[in-house]
PDB file of all heavy atoms in Angstrom:
ATOM      1  N   ALA A 165      25.315 -15.239-203.557  1.00 86.00           N
ATOM      2  CA  ALA A 165      26.560 -15.749-202.926  1.00 86.00           C
ATOM      3  C   ALA A 165      26.183 -16.719-201.818  1.00 86.00           C
ATOM      4  O   ALA A 165      26.932 -17.688-201.832  1.00 86.00           O
ATOM      5  CB  ALA A 165      27.344 -14.540-202.499  1.00 86.00           C
ATOM      6  N   TYR A 166      25.251 -16.373-201.114  1.00 88.00           N
ATOM      7  CA  TYR A 166      24.791 -17.286-199.851  1.00 88.00           C
ATOM      8  C   TYR A 166      24.519 -18.637-200.554  1.00 88.00           C
ATOM      9  O   TYR A 166      24.960 -19.637-200.096  1.00 88.00           O
ATOM     10  CB  TYR A 166      23.705 -16.768-199.117  1.00 88.00           C
ATOM     11  CG  TYR A 166      24.111 -15.814-198.025  1.00 88.00           C
ATOM     12  CD1 TYR A 166      23.972 -14.445-198.118  1.00 88.00           C
ATOM     13  CD2 TYR A 166      24.560 -16.262-196.881  1.00 88.00           C
ATOM     14  CE1 TYR A 166      24.347 -13.616-197.099  1.00 88.00           C
ATOM     15  CE2 TYR A 166      25.097 -15.543-195.803  1.00 88.00           C
ATOM     16  CZ  TYR A 166      24.826 -14.088-195.939  1.00 88.00           C
ATOM     17  OH  TYR A 166      25.188 -13.184-194.981  1.00 88.00           O
ATOM     18  N   LEU A 167      23.512 -18.546-201.475  1.00 89.00           N
ATOM     19  CA  LEU A 167      22.864 -19.866-202.142  1.00 89.00           C
ATOM     20  C   LEU A 167      24.047 -20.841-202.557  1.00 89.00           C
ATOM     21  O   LEU A 167      24.239 -21.886-202.216  1.00 89.00           O
ATOM     22  CB  LEU A 167      21.943 -19.475-203.081  1.00 89.00           C
ATOM     23  CG  LEU A 167      21.365 -20.696-203.814  1.00 89.00           C
ATOM     24  CD1 LEU A 167      20.321 -21.409-202.940  1.00 89.00           C
ATOM     25  CD2 LEU A 167      20.533 -20.239-205.073  1.00 89.00           C
ATOM     26  N   PHE A 168      24.793 -20.217-203.677  1.00 91.00           N
ATOM     27  CA  PHE A 168      25.828 -21.021-204.165  1.00 91.00           C
ATOM     28  C   PHE A 168      26.949 -21.359-203.322  1.00 91.00           C
ATOM     29  O   PHE A 168      27.596 -22.461-203.416  1.00 91.00           O
ATOM     30  CB  PHE A 168      26.327 -20.524-205.460  1.00 91.00           C
ATOM     31  CG  PHE A 168      25.277 -20.384-206.470  1.00 91.00           C
ATOM     32  CD1 PHE A 168      24.859 -19.148-207.005  1.00 91.00           C
ATOM     33  CD2 PHE A 168      24.711 -21.501-206.995  1.00 91.00           C
ATOM     34  CE1 PHE A 168      23.724 -19.223-208.013  1.00 91.00           C
ATOM     35  CE2 PHE A 168      23.785 -21.576-208.097  1.00 91.00           C
ATOM     36  CZ  PHE A 168      23.361 -20.247-208.507  1.00 91.00           C
ATOM     37  N   GLY A 169      27.331 -20.416-202.427  1.00 91.00           N
ATOM     38  CA  GLY A 169      28.328 -20.771-201.404  1.00 91.00           C
ATOM     39  C   GLY A 169      27.950 -21.990-200.479  1.00 91.00           C
ATOM     40  O   GLY A 169      28.838 -22.844-200.309  1.00 91.00           O
ATOM     41  N   ILE A 170      26.830 -21.819-199.997  1.00 93.00           N
ATOM     42  CA  ILE A 170      26.273 -22.950-199.145  1.00 93.00           C
ATOM     43  C   ILE A 170      26.157 -24.258-199.844  1.00 93.00           C
ATOM     44  O   ILE A 170      26.627 -25.274-199.320  1.00 93.00           O
ATOM     45  CB  ILE A 170      24.925 -22.633-198.442  1.00 93.00           C
ATOM     46  CG1 ILE A 170      25.203 -21.361-197.417  1.00 93.00           C
ATOM     47  CG2 ILE A 170      24.321 -23.612-197.735  1.00 93.00           C
ATOM     48  CD1 ILE A 170      24.005 -20.923-196.780  1.00 93.00           C
ATOM     49  N   ILE A 171      25.698 -24.218-201.002  1.00 94.00           N
ATOM     50  CA  ILE A 171      25.543 -25.514-201.742  1.00 94.00           C
ATOM     51  C   ILE A 171      26.885 -26.066-202.165  1.00 94.00           C
ATOM     52  O   ILE A 171      27.154 -27.266-201.943  1.00 94.00           O
ATOM     53  CB  ILE A 171      24.880 -25.288-203.098  1.00 94.00           C
ATOM     54  CG1 ILE A 171      23.306 -24.955-202.917  1.00 94.00           C
ATOM     55  CG2 ILE A 171      24.889 -26.493-204.048  1.00 94.00           C
ATOM     56  CD1 ILE A 171      22.617 -24.644-204.169  1.00 94.00           C
ATOM     57  N   GLY A 172      27.920 -25.074-202.551  1.00 94.00           N
ATOM     58  CA  GLY A 172      29.214 -25.707-202.812  1.00 94.00           C
ATOM     59  C   GLY A 172      29.887 -26.268-201.598  1.00 94.00           C
ATOM     60  O   GLY A 172      30.505 -27.303-201.621  1.00 94.00           O
ATOM     61  N   LEU A 173      29.756 -25.521-200.503  1.00 94.00           N
ATOM     62  CA  LEU A 173      30.458 -26.049-199.226  1.00 94.00           C
ATOM     63  C   LEU A 173      29.760 -27.403-198.784  1.00 94.00           C
ATOM     64  O   LEU A 173      30.572 -28.364-198.504  1.00 94.00           O
ATOM     65  CB  LEU A 173      30.132 -24.923-198.149  1.00 94.00           C
ATOM     66  CG  LEU A 173      31.087 -24.926-196.885  1.00 94.00           C
ATOM     67  CD1 LEU A 173      32.469 -24.815-197.262  1.00 94.00           C
ATOM     68  CD2 LEU A 173      30.683 -23.972-195.959  1.00 94.00           C
ATOM     69  N   SER A 174      28.477 -27.399-198.823  1.00 95.00           N
ATOM     70  CA  SER A 174      27.804 -28.700-198.330  1.00 95.00           C
ATOM     71  C   SER A 174      28.091 -29.821-199.268  1.00 95.00           C
ATOM     72  O   SER A 174      28.171 -31.086-198.919  1.00 95.00           O
ATOM     73  CB  SER A 174      26.329 -28.469-198.086  1.00 95.00           C
ATOM     74  OG  SER A 174      25.771 -27.875-199.021  1.00 95.00           O
ATOM     75  N   PHE A 175      28.111 -29.571-200.626  1.00 94.00           N
ATOM     76  CA  PHE A 175      28.453 -30.633-201.546  1.00 94.00           C
ATOM     77  C   PHE A 175      29.764 -31.149-201.290  1.00 94.00           C
ATOM     78  O   PHE A 175      30.132 -32.330-201.382  1.00 94.00           O
ATOM     79  CB  PHE A 175      28.362 -29.964-202.960  1.00 94.00           C
ATOM     80  CG  PHE A 175      28.148 -30.933-204.123  1.00 94.00           C
ATOM     81  CD1 PHE A 175      27.078 -31.732-204.186  1.00 94.00           C
ATOM     82  CD2 PHE A 175      29.236 -31.153-205.093  1.00 94.00           C
ATOM     83  CE1 PHE A 175      27.009 -32.695-205.236  1.00 94.00           C
ATOM     84  CE2 PHE A 175      29.149 -32.103-206.091  1.00 94.00           C
ATOM     85  CZ  PHE A 175      28.013 -32.870-206.068  1.00 94.00           C
ATOM     86  N   ASN A 176      30.779 -30.370-201.042  1.00 94.00           N
ATOM     87  CA  ASN A 176      32.150 -30.708-200.781  1.00 94.00           C
ATOM     88  C   ASN A 176      32.218 -31.498-199.472  1.00 94.00           C
ATOM     89  O   ASN A 176      32.717 -32.601-199.375  1.00 94.00           O
ATOM     90  CB  ASN A 176      33.015 -29.500-200.581  1.00 94.00           C
ATOM     91  CG  ASN A 176      34.403 -29.910-200.549  1.00 94.00           C
ATOM     92  OD1 ASN A 176      35.016 -30.486-201.448  1.00 94.00           O
ATOM     93  ND2 ASN A 176      35.094 -29.605-199.403  1.00 94.00           N
ATOM     94  N   TYR A 177      31.553 -31.070-198.407  1.00 95.00           N
ATOM     95  CA  TYR A 177      31.625 -31.811-197.116  1.00 95.00           C
ATOM     96  C   TYR A 177      30.801 -33.039-197.231  1.00 95.00           C
ATOM     97  O   TYR A 177      31.134 -33.984-196.346  1.00 95.00           O
ATOM     98  CB  TYR A 177      31.276 -30.953-195.932  1.00 95.00           C
ATOM     99  CG  TYR A 177      32.532 -30.154-195.620  1.00 95.00           C
ATOM    100  CD1 TYR A 177      32.959 -29.025-196.272  1.00 95.00           C
ATOM    101  CD2 TYR A 177      33.317 -30.699-194.527  1.00 95.00           C
ATOM    102  CE1 TYR A 177      34.104 -28.451-195.904  1.00 95.00           C
ATOM    103  CE2 TYR A 177      34.490 -30.009-194.124  1.00 95.00           C
ATOM    104  CZ  TYR A 177      34.899 -28.839-194.825  1.00 95.00           C
ATOM    105  OH  TYR A 177      36.039 -28.334-194.446  1.00 95.00           O
ATOM    106  N   GLY A 178      29.739 -33.107-198.146  1.00 95.00           N
ATOM    107  CA  GLY A 178      29.040 -34.307-198.162  1.00 95.00           C
ATOM    108  C   GLY A 178      29.943 -35.445-198.549  1.00 95.00           C
ATOM    109  O   GLY A 178      29.730 -36.562-198.042  1.00 95.00           O
ATOM    110  N   ALA A 179      30.879 -35.206-199.375  1.00 93.00           N
ATOM    111  CA  ALA A 179      31.763 -36.299-199.867  1.00 93.00           C
ATOM    112  C   ALA A 179      32.652 -36.819-198.602  1.00 93.00           C
ATOM    113  O   ALA A 179      32.800 -37.987-198.499  1.00 93.00           O
ATOM    114  CB  ALA A 179      32.743 -35.747-200.972  1.00 93.00           C
ATOM    115  N   TYR A 180      33.216 -35.906-197.858  1.00 90.00           N
ATOM    116  CA  TYR A 180      33.928 -36.372-196.676  1.00 90.00           C
ATOM    117  C   TYR A 180      33.093 -37.003-195.606  1.00 90.00           C
ATOM    118  O   TYR A 180      33.417 -38.121-195.120  1.00 90.00           O
ATOM    119  CB  TYR A 180      34.652 -35.166-195.922  1.00 90.00           C
ATOM    120  CG  TYR A 180      35.698 -34.479-196.862  1.00 90.00           C
ATOM    121  CD1 TYR A 180      35.551 -33.341-197.570  1.00 90.00           C
ATOM    122  CD2 TYR A 180      37.058 -35.130-196.721  1.00 90.00           C
ATOM    123  CE1 TYR A 180      36.505 -32.899-198.269  1.00 90.00           C
ATOM    124  CE2 TYR A 180      38.091 -34.540-197.435  1.00 90.00           C
ATOM    125  CZ  TYR A 180      37.764 -33.439-198.196  1.00 90.00           C
ATOM    126  OH  TYR A 180      38.849 -32.898-199.055  1.00 90.00           O
ATOM    127  N   LEU A 181      31.881 -36.571-195.529  1.00 93.00           N
ATOM    128  CA  LEU A 181      30.908 -37.202-194.643  1.00 93.00           C
ATOM    129  C   LEU A 181      30.415 -38.499-195.044  1.00 93.00           C
ATOM    130  O   LEU A 181      30.110 -39.405-194.291  1.00 93.00           O
ATOM    131  CB  LEU A 181      29.746 -36.380-194.292  1.00 93.00           C
ATOM    132  CG  LEU A 181      29.929 -35.162-193.330  1.00 93.00           C
ATOM    133  CD1 LEU A 181      28.769 -34.399-193.009  1.00 93.00           C
ATOM    134  CD2 LEU A 181      30.624 -35.634-192.115  1.00 93.00           C
TER     135      LEU A 181
END
Side-chain angles (χ1 to χ4, degrees):
Chain A
Y166 274 104
L167 178 71
F168 291 115
I170 290 178
I171 292 181
L173 199 60
S174 46
F175 198 66
N176 188 64
Y177 273 82
Y180 289 95
L181 286 184

